[in-house]
Amino acid sequence: MSFRVVFAWQVSKPSRLFTSPLWVQEKEQENMKALMIASLAHDVGHPGLNDAYLKKVRCTLATMYSDPLLEHHHFQTCLLILQDIRCNIFFDLESEDYKQVLDDIKLCILATNLQKYKSQCEKMRHIIETGIDFRKRQVRNSIKALMMMACDLCGSWKRWEEHKNIVWSLYKEYFNQGDKEVSFGIVTPAHMLRTNAESIPRYQTAFLLNVVTPIFELLSKVFPQLKEITKTTQDNLECWKTYK
């Protein structure tokens, strides 16, 4: 079984943590199912290469989709799967409700693009500072987007041994891309060079500190039950700081 398939299942499990009755409004149940489907499908059809590489080599995917191209590819692949009646758990919805579910799936899948984490965090800070009104769709959408990003980062809050194995799997993918870029004479990011493997603890320390922790801390202000995953993430951060 491929790493991406296993990871999709891992991502779908924590999404259940966020289906709190405190904020799920009437008629939102189908949209919460959409969150689960988006979690499972968020990496479907992933080639194990990032947007930058696909653009550099002028891959067909880069000509088919707008930015973020991989997230658009995952969403379109999800739509193809849902066209099969055997796979479509929303087949009995009215057309308007079905359109809303698809919009939610698209919102959630596109939200996994980490290039947008700063803007997503800024939106959430503003929502928290001005008072969270769950009756507003734009508020719920912002929360769902950051929730989905947190689900995509679920490997960060696994216990140390499992977390470390997930990180090794990710870096195998990065190094495979780095090898391709080097062979093509393409400028390669430092963290994707196999020769920099000894710097993984430093890369992970910076990632957990500057990207993951702010996302989890903001969400824990909306969902207090998430404080435990923030603590586990901090434990992993400390392990990377001292990793030999």
Side-chain angles (χ1 to χ4, degrees):
M1 187 177 291
S2 73
F3 161 67
R4 288 287 172 181
V5 172
V6 174
F7 187 61
W9 176 243
Q10 296 259 358
V11 171
S12 72
K13 290 192 289 183
S15 66
R16 290 176 293 174
L17 289 173
F18 305 117
T19 57
S20 169
L22 295 175
W23 77 282
V24 176
Q25 305 294 311
E26 186 180 359
K27 297 184 179 180
E28 281 286 296
Q29 291 299 319
E30 294 301 337
N31 292 327
M32 296 312 298
K33 291 179 185 176
L35 176 61
M36 294 293 294
I37 295 299
S39 299
L40 286 169
H42 83 286
D43 266 350
V44 65
H46 199 292
L49 304 161
N50 65 18
D51 283 21
Y53 175 86
L54 297 174
K55 290 175 183 177
K56 288 174 186 175
V57 300
R58 299 179 182 179
C59 175
T60 303
L61 288 179
T63 65
M64 292 173 61
Y65 303 111
S66 58
D67 286 331
L69 70 90
L70 276 176
E71 283 74 20
H72 278 103
H73 173 57
H74 303 322
F75 173 63
Q76 291 298 325
T77 306
C78 178
L79 291 185
L80 288 175
I81 294 171
L82 288 176
Q83 285 180 10
D84 187 334
I85 192 65
R86 296 169 299 178
C87 301
N88 194 344
I89 65 172
F90 307 110
F91 72 94
D92 58 343
L93 292 181
E94 298 292 335
S95 59
E96 200 58 38
D97 291 335
Y98 186 59
K99 180 180 181 299
Q100 183 60 59
V101 163
L102 294 184
D103 286 346
D104 268 14
I105 292 174
K106 183 176 183 179
L107 167 79
C108 291
I109 291 179
L110 264 57
T112 61
N113 176 21
L114 268 181
Q115 299 298 320
K116 296 182 179 180
Y117 86 92
K118 287 186 178 179
S119 62
Q120 294 286 11
C121 286
E122 283 304 313
K123 285 182 184 178
M124 186 57 60
R125 287 190 187 97
H126 177 72
I127 288 171
I128 292 170
E129 289 170 1
T130 57
I132 302 171
D133 186 349
F134 291 115
R135 295 169 298 179
K136 296 180 179 179
R137 172 162 287 278
Q138 65 267 33
V139 170
R140 298 201 303 276
N141 283 348
S142 292
I143 293 173
K144 278 189 238 182
L146 203 63
M147 282 162 51
M148 190 66 190
M149 196 172 283
C151 289
D152 195 25
L153 296 170
C154 68
S156 302
W157 76 61
K158 302 294 184 183
R159 299 298 177 185
W160 170 246
E161 287 302 322
E162 187 176 359
H163 163 70
K164 186 173 62 172
N165 288 338
I166 291 172
V167 170
W168 293 153
S169 295
L170 280 170
Y171 273 91
K172 284 179 183 177
E173 193 171 277
Y174 293 162
F175 293 156
N176 286 337
Q177 175 176 320
D179 293 344
K180 291 177 184 291
E181 289 179 331
V182 169
S183 68
F184 293 148
I186 297 173
V187 176
T188 308
H191 72 282
M192 289 190 170
L193 288 171
R194 198 176 296 275
T195 52
N196 289 337
E198 64 183 19
S199 296
I200 290 177
R202 178 165 56 86
Y203 297 146
Q204 279 303 113
T205 298
F207 182 66
L208 291 176
L209 186 63
N210 299 318
V211 179
V212 179
T213 298
I215 292 172
F216 289 178
E217 287 181 343
L218 282 170
L219 277 176
S220 67
K221 292 180 180 179
V222 183
F223 303 100
Q225 67 268 37
L226 299 188
K227 289 181 180 178
E228 180 60 30
I229 66 173
T230 303
K231 180 184 181 301
T232 307
T233 302
Q234 291 302 311
D235 291 343
N236 290 334
L237 173 59
E238 293 305 314
C239 287
W240 284 118
K241 286 181 179 179
T242 59
Y243 188 83
K244 300 293 184 181

